[in-house]
Amino acid sequence: MDEDSPVQILKNNIWYSNPIFIQILGICSTLAVTNNLTNTVIMTLGLLFVAAFTNLTVSLLKNLIPRKVRMILQTLIIAFYVIIVDILLRAYLPEISKALGPYVGLIITNCIIMGRAEAFAQSHGPLISAWDGITSGLGYMWVLMLIAFVRELMGFGTVFGITVLPAGFTPWTIMVMAPSAFFLLGTFIWVAKTIILRQEGGK
Amino acid sequence: MVPDLNPVVLLFASIFTSNILLANFLGMCSFISISKDMKSSNGLGLAVTVVLTLTAMLNWVLLQYVLIPLDLLYLRYIIFIIVIAATVQILEMVIDRVSPALYMSLGIFLPLITVNCAILGVALFMQIRNYSFLQTVIFAFGSGLGWWLAIVALAAIQKKLVKAPVPAGLKGPGITLITIGFMAMAFIGFSGMLSVQ
């Protein structure tokens, strides 16, 4: 199958070269908000938006940007979209914006966005680049949401803030704290890689 | 509204209990890829500490005397990232001129630092928490030391792990993350004693 077809890009970004468990990119800024599903959804949606538009813009401007200054220009393009996300969040979801704190701004240094702009948008057309940004964001989103689901369920007994576990349940304090995110992501990578290794072995 | 914080407490909290990497997840990307080798971990740790302290000071001055008086706070992301990129670039040129030996050991790590989330993260934390100049310097320096300590410790553990029988699927990033998790538990274990917000 053609490597650059939209379906193949979707498959690659969601599973075969998932930004998180294959490329290990961009976990810095978002792992911190995974103790709560609502925050994770907002944060990853913000990232998806920035990734899609940065890829689109970089792809449109790729022939105009001199190679030497492209890094700093890409960073400025990313910063521009992050500011838009930040202002939108503060206007419409002030509480979540406050809870996310500095992490919205840190989307700028999220390696996924820069990585996709550099690896994909520099050499592809605008629309397919935007699609690559969206699917990268989706690949990122489902993994983080899974982690956030486990952490919120075990740490608070809730899903999206609604209590689901019986009142007798003792919350696992460790799930609210930082180390659990590392453990869960590590375990997740283990499972995913084992499945991928098995698939490759079966071929 | 500068928070009332004892400088010594702030220093220790930023190195250990609120470690920028282990408690706030900042600076993970280069952390995972570099931490396989002791020597480069040391170089990168030193570079991060220097750049972090320098840029935090510069960013604090710009924030207090330019951005806030002119009501341009929404431009802070762009200003901070430009300051960081420019500092790294200038530092690279200065080190190259002054000490080629230091350049050999530090120079290759400098470009990596521009995209290190820890640098921008510290700048944003100091803005959100309203730190004074002194507090910013201490917080930035402590965070740098904490990052350095964490990456060197991880490199040392990774060295031992080479001989360990790790399942195929867990090899590489998986086991690294689980190791980081244990380290985080050890660092955060002290958080009942001191913490900064």
Side-chain angles (χ1 to χ4, degrees):
Chain A
M1 191 188 253
D2 183 17
E3 265 299 300
D4 285 346
S5 75
V7 180
Q8 192 58 32
I9 289 172
L10 178 73
K11 274 190 192 162
N12 275 344
N13 282 333
I14 296 224
W15 182 257
Y16 295 103
S17 56
N18 183 289
I20 295 193
F21 56 80
I22 304 296
Q23 308 177 34
I24 323 290
L25 279 182
I27 43 183
C28 16
S29 49
T30 344
L31 214 47
V33 295
T34 51
N35 59 6
N36 178 314
L37 261 173
T38 321
N39 288 354
T40 311
V41 171
I42 301 293
M43 185 77 187
T44 44
L45 278 179
L47 186 121
L48 195 151
F49 170 86
V50 176
F53 278 94
T54 305
N55 265 2
L56 180 71
T57 318
V58 169
S59 174
L60 282 173
L61 295 177
K62 65 176 182 278
N63 296 327
L64 299 173
I65 301 177
R67 277 194 80 76
K68 273 197 164 167
V69 293
R70 72 183 192 287
M71 285 292 192
I72 189 77
L73 278 174
Q74 283 170 3
T75 314
L76 289 181
I77 293 168
I78 298 170
F80 171 72
Y81 288 114
V82 170
I83 290 176
I84 294 179
V85 170
D86 186 43
I87 291 175
L88 282 177
L89 278 184
R90 260 188 297 161
Y92 293 104
L93 298 163
E95 271 163 38
I96 290 178
S97 162
K98 210 165 186 159
L100 292 177
Y103 293 102
V104 177
L106 286 168
I107 295 179
I108 297 174
T109 47
N110 193 311
C111 338
I112 282 186
I113 299 175
M114 187 79 123
R116 292 322 292 176
E118 188 62 21
F120 197 93
Q122 279 289 348
S123 52
H124 291 78
L127 279 181
I128 198 80
S129 296
W131 175 244
D132 180 73
I134 294 171
T135 49
S136 289
L138 285 177
Y140 192 63
M141 193 173 192
W142 79 265
V143 177
L144 284 184
M145 281 189 57
L146 206 66
I147 293 172
F149 173 75
V150 178
R151 286 185 75 188
E152 190 180 330
L153 187 71
M154 292 309 196
F156 300 101
T158 57
V159 172
F160 283 111
I162 302 156
T163 312
V164 287
L165 290 179
F169 172 76
T170 315
W172 301 9
T173 319
I174 182 82
M175 283 295 172
V176 185
M177 289 171 14
S180 70
F182 292 117
F183 290 138
L184 284 173
L185 186 58
T187 318
F188 188 88
I189 291 176
W190 184 7
V191 173
K193 274 218 160 161
T194 311
I195 296 173
I196 288 174
L197 283 176
R198 197 157 294 167
Q199 281 175 339
E200 280 171 1
K203 264 177 202 169
Chain B
M1 312 165 287
V2 173
D4 182 29
L5 277 170
N6 183 332
V8 182
V9 172
L10 183 60
L11 180 66
F12 277 91
S14 53
I15 298 177
F16 296 107
T17 59
S18 303
N19 188 293
I20 191 88
L21 181 94
L22 299 170
N24 292 315
F25 307 96
L26 297 179
M28 293 281 295
C29 306
S30 37
F31 188 74
I32 293 184
S33 50
I34 296 291
S35 68
K36 285 167 191 105
D37 169 48
M38 201 74 175
K39 218 176 149 196
S40 357
S41 304
N42 235 332
L44 190 63
L46 176 65
V48 164
T49 312
V50 172
V51 173
L52 199 51
T53 317
L54 271 176
T55 54
M57 288 197 274
L58 279 171
N59 279 331
W60 188 89
V61 172
L62 274 174
L63 180 73
Q64 298 296 330
Y65 295 104
V66 180
L67 292 183
I68 292 181
L70 294 179
D71 205 16
L72 287 174
L73 206 55
Y74 61 91
L75 280 182
R76 66 187 183 280
Y77 299 146
I78 288 191
I79 301 289
F80 287 171
I81 203 84
I82 290 176
V83 166
I84 293 167
T87 312
V88 170
Q89 196 79 61
I90 293 170
L91 207 63
E92 200 179 347
M93 291 193 291
V94 170
I95 292 178
D96 191 20
R97 277 286 157 77
V98 177
S99 157
L102 187 63
Y103 184 78
M104 284 302 283
S105 61
L106 208 60
I108 43 165
F109 302 113
L110 284 170
L112 274 176
I113 288 179
T114 315
V115 287
N116 189 320
C117 339
I119 316 279
L120 184 64
V122 164
L124 294 173
F125 270 127
M126 76 74 187
Q127 179 247 326
I128 285 178
R129 293 174 183 167
N130 265 321
Y131 283 153
S132 71
F133 185 70
L134 181 69
Q135 284 167 336
T136 302
V137 175
I138 293 173
F139 177 64
F141 181 64
S143 298
L145 282 185
W147 201 89
W148 191 353
L149 184 65
I151 194 170
V152 170
L154 184 68
I157 298 175
Q158 295 255 43
K159 223 170 197 176
K160 296 279 170 199
L161 274 177
V162 173
K163 289 179 193 139
V166 180
L170 191 58
K171 270 205 179 105
I175 189 73
T176 310
L177 277 164
I178 291 185
T179 316
I180 300 174
F182 282 115
M183 281 171 57
M185 275 172 83
F187 273 69
I188 294 168
F190 294 103
S191 58
M193 288 159 69
L194 7 118
S195 65
V196 280
Q197 259 325 302

